[in-house]
Amino acid sequence: MEQYNPAKIEPKWQKYWEEKELYKAEDFSKKPKFYSLIEFPYPSAEGLHCGHPRSFTAMDIISRKRRMQGYNVLFPIGWDAFGLPAENYAIKTGTHPKATTEKNIANFTRQLKSLGFSFDWSREINTTDPNYYKWTQWIFLKLFEKNLAYKAKMDINWCTSCNCGLANEEVVDAKCERCGGEVIRKEREQWMLKITEYADRLILDLDKVDYLAKIKKQQIDWIGKSFGAQVVFKIKSSTMLEGEHMYDLPVYTTRPDTLFGCTYMCVAPEHELIEKFADQIDNYEEVKDYINQAKHKSEQERLNLEKTKTGVELHGLKAINPVNNEEIPIFTADYVLASYGTGAIMAVPAHDQRDYEFAKKYNIEVREVIAGGEIEKEAWEGEGTLINSDFLNGLNTQQATDKIIDWLEEKGFGFGATNYKLRDWVFSRQRYWGEPIPIIICPHCGYVPVEEKDLPVVLPEIEEFKTSETGDSPLALIVDWVNVPCPKCGADAKRETDTMPQWAGSSWYFLRYADPYNDKALADLKKLKYWTPIDWYNGGMEHTTLHLLYSRFWHKFLYDIKVAPTPEPYAKRTSQGMVLGEDNEKMSKSRGNVVNPDEVVKEHGADTLRVYEMFIGPFDQATPWSTQGVVGVRRFLEKVWQIGHNLDDKKRGNEDDLVFLTHKTIKQVTEQIETMDFNTCVSAMMILLKKYQEEGCNQEIFRLFLKILAPFAPHLAEELWQNLGHKKSIFLEPWPEYNPELAKESVREIPVQINGKVRSKIFITEDMAKEEIKKLALADDNVQKWLASPGGLAGKEIKKFIYVKGKIINIVI
RNA sequence: GGGGAUGUGGUGAAAUUGGUAGACACGCAGGCUUCAGGAGCCUGUGGCAGCAAUGCUGUGAGAGUUCGAGUCUCUCCAUCCCCACCA
């Protein structure tokens, strides 16, 4: 018998599967369809890390199983290939990102193929291919056409290291999510996408899909819908005459019931009120100073100073509380965010902890209007009965809220309102390596879309990749490319030089897989109707508020314009845990704890890597890598190889046992692949194999085993299968059905407890009656011993006899 | 501050969802094989006591419900992740 040599058999079968086109998805097949998806990788220079195969193997197992179960499976692969690392590398070395990307894709392809994933490579896509990004640009134009893309001057997050604008979602701890560079606020004209318009539907339609609960919750929290009221306060300056028109300052509050407790107002330092009333603010210089300070405070400082609130009163201005016409002071403070609500708040120190702290510091009245707290100590943010509130007195929070909203609406001082934490999506990037935004800026016509027939707007070839000093994209320097006639009026105009963020290409890629070569549409609607929605999408938790939300937004938009057939892209979403380094830390180059899958394949083979990644721990939990642990899986596969070469045709006396355990394992593996309990699937197969090792195994039974092993260790299973004389791939075999009769144990050993402690074990059969079992249990030697033992139990009566069918006996004495 | 998760041997972890705690695997110890190293095979392996059968004890801590709790309830403690001045 030959040695088990993965290096020899694995490439052989990979080639075989490719030649037989075993994993090719068929459009409009009569079989039921199954669309399984992994997050397409960014082809980095480092190549695959050991986190990739965890998700990929899981979905590969599910896809292979589905094929064997008779489904027409689409399990595609592609490249999310725009992005900063290739561009930064270009800045450093002058190598064109296109060249870097091609090279990296070649490496990734080699690696993925070496792991034996059953991707349909004929549908491979690449976001940097002009034939692909033509449609990314097309979608942008449609968004523009429907007023969902707009350009706005605003303070954005600016990465000082990338020289580039970032979305809120890309800023982590005041640092750039990608490069870790410092992020400051900077005012710029930016393209924005109105994701907020879809906020409600993005929440509501979560009911239509099967996502892990924590994923749904995280999305809902991120969108952050809240209910309350908008209340308008009139602003009055000391120089104003009675009856002169006053400025209206609207605020948003979730607690309109506390309106009588409002003792001051506060606006964000960026609020327009300050500039508007500059000449009426007596201490304008002081205010200006404060604003400047706030602006230069880095985000990091702001976080550290979280507890100490600062602000300045706007002397000379007063606000008028509409419910009681009281004049109250106005402050500006940086604890009020310009970008949430209206950028201004009504402060109720007695019932909001932040306002409470601020009021204490600046000696502002704390007026209790909700009973139930101890406002000498801290703000009472709970509910309660209204006091000191005129016509609201005696009501509870809910009643008071309803009543005050009615009152505000009636008097024209405000209305019930909802608000979201979700902001519109900053869509501009001042970089080269992204999809050019297909807009032409004309001095006469404004923003003019590139005509559809002129798509794609192809990235021009350039040699200098650095962002310009003004912070514009390197594209701004390519005069030939930038200067174009306006499509509308023909006047001299300029192209938009901002490019799209990396999230653009990944926001619709799953649709392209249905029809990757279409040059008339992003994908043929009939094909989309056949393939979508995606039946099962597995990916990282870190994409929940980024890619997952963005792509749902785009998909809903495409649904609205009748380009996509379903309101939701993904019917089911699951998430894998991270593979940590051996030191239990996140794998990273700097820590030097990165495990390269190439080395594992070289040493033990792809099947070992695959099975190990599934065996390593619960799929949804982070687990450290263990080089030692890999060996255990290798030994298991070695044993499979041994037994696979030592089969016979003998029937044995203990045949029943073997058949029973085999069917039990088929049942377990069949069910637990669906629940992603891969680790226990592997352990069940190990137990079964041990049984074969002890008892010997015949071909008929082993064939069943090979079929359930095949999705996990495809190369080994295929080798042993065809060794048995089969002429066709094991993956063309039907998935084994377990026989429920055979998966049932006929005789089983159950524990006998006395007063809750296991004292003996007896054998019973399925059909025994309780009385019969009781007799058997009481007759048992050990039980007798305990009943009559000198341990003090002697002569005690049996109070209770509990028998849980097929599980346990407990005798209470 | 808010949210989510987790706590079981030396390690990664199982536990049919209230029914034999520690399956499976790593590691370790002893043995066989080998010139040696490695690999392989066999045996043992939560702790304490005992040559042993066995007994006691044991799932972060404490209480409760139950014939029976790793699992349910309450009160603490610890760790990790995400979000974070969202009015």
Side-chain angles (χ1 to χ4, degrees):
Chain A
M1 187 189 74
E2 263 185 88
Q3 291 277 305
Y4 172 47
N5 184 359
K8 197 174 148 198
I9 64 168
E10 289 179 351
K12 178 177 85 183
W13 293 116
Q14 284 157 13
K15 200 172 149 224
Y16 172 90
W17 294 327
E18 199 167 333
E19 279 166 3
K20 302 272 178 189
E21 297 189 335
L22 226 49
Y23 310 128
K24 215 165 170 179
E26 191 195 334
D27 294 329
F28 310 118
S29 152
K30 289 265 163 23
K31 290 181 185 172
K33 69 95 184 177
F34 186 82
Y35 186 173
S36 54
L37 188 66
I38 48 142
E39 287 166 348
F40 65 159
Y42 172 74
S44 67
E46 288 82 33
L48 283 183
H49 55 78
C50 275
H52 288 117
R54 196 171 194 196
S55 170
F56 296 179
T57 305
M59 290 316 288
D60 188 52
I61 287 168
I62 290 164
S63 301
R64 287 179 182 277
K65 182 189 175 205
R66 281 290 184 285
R67 286 194 198 92
M68 293 171 81
Q69 287 176 319
Y71 286 84
N72 177 31
V73 172
L74 173 54
F75 184 42
I77 182 74
W79 313 104
D80 188 15
F82 276 126
L84 289 179
E87 182 162 352
N88 288 338
Y89 186 71
I91 292 169
K92 238 168 41 190
T93 65
T95 315
H96 197 288
K98 204 166 141 191
T100 313
T101 303
E102 267 169 27
K103 195 175 133 221
N104 293 348
I105 287 178
N107 186 41
F108 264 70
T109 302
R110 174 191 63 75
Q111 290 188 300
L112 289 177
K113 289 193 170 175
S114 80
L115 290 171
F117 296 127
S118 62
F119 295 126
D120 178 353
W121 286 93
S122 73
R123 291 174 189 250
E124 180 180 350
I125 58 171
N126 178 340
T127 55
T128 66
D129 178 349
N131 293 322
Y132 179 90
Y133 70 67
K134 170 181 177 178
W135 297 105
T136 313
Q137 291 174 333
W138 182 87
I139 295 168
F140 180 89
L141 289 181
K142 289 290 163 190
L143 287 162
F144 181 75
E145 190 184 310
K146 304 285 177 191
N147 288 320
L148 291 166
Y150 62 96
K151 207 166 192 186
K153 194 169 209 162
M154 64 172 304
D155 259 12
I156 57 149
N157 303 299
W158 184 265
C159 173
T160 50
S161 158
C162 304
N163 261 335
C164 183
L166 300 174
N168 263 332
E169 288 81 353
E170 291 172 300
V171 183
V172 177
D173 278 344
K175 296 223 166 72
C176 171
E177 187 232 13
R178 277 238 162 249
C179 76
E182 199 198 344
V183 175
I184 58 164
R185 308 292 298 177
K186 188 165 179 172
E187 193 174 68
R188 267 200 81 92
E189 285 252 294
Q190 299 285 316
W191 283 99
M192 307 284 295
L193 297 188
K194 250 187 233 169
I195 189 171
T196 50
E197 192 127 308
Y198 281 74
D200 265 325
R201 286 166 65 193
L202 287 169
I203 295 172
L204 282 173
D205 287 355
L206 286 173
D207 280 345
K208 293 185 176 147
V209 292
D210 174 21
Y211 292 4
L212 290 182
K214 60 177 174 182
I215 297 176
K216 283 191 187 183
K217 187 169 185 338
Q218 207 171 307
Q219 289 213 340
I220 291 168
D221 288 352
W222 185 265
I223 296 166
K225 186 175 186 174
S226 64
F227 302 91
Q230 186 157 317
V231 184
V232 177
F233 284 64
K234 299 256 183 239
I235 303 300
K236 185 187 150 187
S237 75
S238 47
T239 57
M240 268 180 192
L241 300 170
E242 203 59 45
E244 197 178 335
H245 177 75
M246 290 187 279
Y247 176 87
D248 287 340
L249 178 63
V251 300
Y252 173 75
T253 176
T254 53
R255 293 296 299 273
D257 57 312
T258 62
L259 196 45
F260 281 94
C262 172
T263 52
Y264 72 100
M265 297 204 68
C266 207
V267 298
E270 299 89 343
H271 201 280
E272 63 159 25
L273 177 84
I274 295 167
E275 281 312 306
K276 222 160 210 158
F277 284 88
D279 56 347
Q280 319 235 14
I281 297 172
D282 301 339
N283 58 339
Y284 185 68
E285 283 310 308
E286 190 193 352
V287 172
K288 203 72 196 160
D289 272 358
Y290 176 77
I291 292 170
N292 271 332
Q293 263 176 39
K295 220 174 212 163
H296 287 104
K297 232 191 252 179
S298 75
E299 287 283 336
Q300 204 56 259
E301 278 174 305
R302 270 183 133 169
L303 287 173
N304 290 340
L305 295 171
E306 194 180 313
K307 289 282 181 267
T308 37
K309 310 253 175 307
T310 60
V312 181
E313 183 173 351
L314 309 180
H315 290 295
L317 294 187
K318 293 282 180 191
I320 298 171
N321 188 339
V323 284
N324 54 14
N325 287 316
E326 257 179 54
E327 290 190 6
I328 53 176
I330 307 174
F331 286 77
T332 181
D334 65 1
Y335 82 90
V336 176
L337 305 176
S339 50
Y340 183 76
T342 63
I345 61 160
M346 58 171 239
V348 183
H351 305 290
D352 182 290
Q353 190 56 30
R354 292 157 301 178
D355 300 344
Y356 187 87
E357 283 162 25
F358 192 84
K360 284 285 170 199
K361 187 166 172 186
Y362 294 97
N363 275 319
I364 306 164
E365 185 195 350
V366 178
R367 188 186 299 166
E368 186 178 28
V369 292
I370 309 280
E374 292 176 72
I375 61 154
E376 300 76 32
K377 285 189 193 152
E378 58 181 5
W380 167 244
E381 296 185 342
E383 304 196 348
T385 307
L386 275 280
I387 53 173
N388 301 326
S389 296
D390 196 354
F391 60 89
L392 297 179
N393 282 337
L395 300 177
N396 66 33
T397 298
Q398 190 52 56
Q399 293 163 332
T401 303
D402 293 345
K403 187 157 183 183
I404 191 71
I405 289 174
D406 285 349
W407 186 88
L408 288 168
E409 284 174 2
E410 195 181 303
K411 303 275 180 185
F413 287 131
F415 47 87
T418 54
N419 225 323
Y420 302 90
K421 290 187 196 175
L422 186 71
R423 313 286 153 78
D424 276 343
W425 174 6
V426 178
F427 199 67
S428 284
R429 297 293 182 276
Q430 293 68 42
R431 302 294 298 216
Y432 170 73
W433 194 229
E435 302 88 343
I437 290 176
I439 293 284
I440 290 162
I441 304 159
C442 168
H444 311 294
C445 314
Y447 299 116
V448 182
V450 170
E451 286 182 52
E452 207 176 309
K453 66 174 171 53
D454 294 328
L455 293 182
V457 176
V458 178
L459 270 176
E461 290 300 322
I462 63 170
E463 269 137 44
E464 180 54 64
F465 297 94
K466 261 198 195 90
T467 314
S468 71
E469 307 237 319
T470 55
D472 286 325
S473 151
L475 290 175
L477 303 173
I478 315 301
V479 181
D480 289 354
W481 183 81
V482 171
N483 292 325
V484 284
C486 168
K488 231 185 209 169
C489 71
D492 286 349
K494 286 181 189 303
R495 282 190 193 281
E496 173 61 62
T497 60
D498 284 354
T499 52
M500 301 187 198
Q502 195 179 2
W503 310 109
S506 59
S507 289
W508 70 281
Y509 75 108
F510 42 88
L511 297 176
R512 189 65 175 173
Y513 284 137
D515 192 13
Y517 302 106
N518 196 325
D519 59 1
K520 301 278 185 306
L522 60 82
D524 177 69
L525 193 59
K526 276 198 216 88
K527 289 184 183 171
L528 288 175
K529 272 187 181 145
Y530 177 79
W531 283 116
T532 63
I534 287 132
D535 294 281
W536 195 333
Y537 190 19
N538 186 79
M541 234 13 233
E542 69 276 16
H543 287 131
T544 303
T545 53
L546 294 160
H547 160 64
L548 204 65
L549 201 62
Y550 291 152
S551 58
R552 287 184 61 222
F553 161 47
W554 273 37
H555 193 267
K556 285 189 173 305
F557 170 71
L558 294 173
Y559 172 70
D560 289 347
I561 63 167
K562 303 195 162 46
V563 170
T566 60
E568 282 289 333
Y570 321 118
K572 175 172 181 157
R573 168 82 179 186
T574 53
S575 221
Q576 78 279 2
M578 241 190 293
V579 178
L580 304 171
E582 217 145 359
D583 53 1
N584 222 330
E585 300 282 338
K586 198 170 165 174
M587 277 192 197
S588 75
K589 252 203 298 195
S590 56
R591 280 204 189 85
N593 60 354
V594 177
V595 180
N596 183 345
D598 282 343
E599 280 164 32
V600 184
V601 171
K602 201 173 144 203
E603 177 137 11
H604 296 293
D607 284 336
T608 296
L609 176 64
R610 293 169 59 108
V611 175
Y612 177 66
E613 294 238 1
M614 294 297 98
F615 186 59
I616 191 167
F619 183 68
D620 60 350
Q621 224 169 274
T623 330
W625 182 267
S626 160
T627 305
Q628 290 288 356
V630 179
V631 175
V633 169
R634 171 68 189 260
R635 286 180 191 148
F636 164 62
L637 296 182
E638 294 270 4
K639 278 178 214 158
V640 174
W641 176 267
Q642 297 274 339
I643 291 169
H645 283 87
N646 287 294
L647 298 170
D648 54 42
D649 272 322
K650 276 182 244 153
K651 290 265 176 194
R652 324 188 138 65
N654 54 16
E655 185 88 1
D656 282 359
D657 269 11
L658 279 185
V659 170
F660 157 69
L661 194 61
T662 303
H663 278 264
K664 193 178 148 194
T665 308
I666 292 170
K667 179 176 192 285
Q668 187 177 346
V669 171
T670 303
E671 289 169 356
Q672 293 196 329
I673 285 176
E674 299 307 313
T675 50
M676 303 190 112
D677 293 309
F678 301 110
N679 53 334
T680 45
C681 287
V682 174
S683 112
M685 288 190 281
M686 285 173 167
I687 292 168
L688 182 59
L689 191 81
K690 212 172 211 175
K691 186 86 177 168
Y692 293 162
Q693 206 175 12
E694 283 163 11
E695 314 280 351
C697 187
N698 64 37
Q699 292 188 6
E700 195 189 330
I701 292 173
F702 198 72
R703 267 194 282 264
L704 292 173
F705 170 74
L706 279 181
K707 286 183 194 178
I708 54 171
L709 177 70
F712 292 81
H715 310 90
L716 175 61
E718 186 78 278
E719 171 78 18
L720 294 176
W721 179 258
Q722 302 217 13
N723 256 354
L724 287 175
H726 299 97
K727 291 280 175 286
K728 279 186 178 165
S729 170
I730 189 168
F731 296 104
L732 297 171
E733 290 291 311
W735 185 254
E737 298 283 332
Y738 66 89
N739 181 336
E741 284 306 310
L742 294 176
K744 249 193 228 160
E745 230 165 348
S746 50
V747 178
R748 102 171 40 167
E749 192 185 32
I750 63 164
V752 181
Q753 295 183 329
I754 293 172
N755 284 353
K757 288 194 172 168
V758 179
R759 296 302 181 191
S760 186
K761 287 166 189 179
I762 59 167
F763 287 96
I764 61 157
T765 58
E766 196 70 27
D767 50 350
M768 273 184 182
K770 186 178 170 181
E771 277 311 305
E772 201 177 340
I773 287 167
K774 184 173 177 178
K775 246 186 243 169
L776 205 65
L778 293 178
D780 181 80
D781 282 352
N782 283 319
V783 174
Q784 279 295 319
K785 200 178 91 191
W786 275 94
L787 290 177
S789 80
L793 299 169
K796 292 267 174 79
E797 269 180 52
I798 294 169
K799 281 197 199 145
K800 228 179 192 180
F801 182 89
I802 295 156
Y803 169 59
V804 181
K805 196 168 189 305
K807 279 189 178 159
I808 200 166
I809 293 164
N810 193 7
I811 303 170
V812 186
I813 54 176

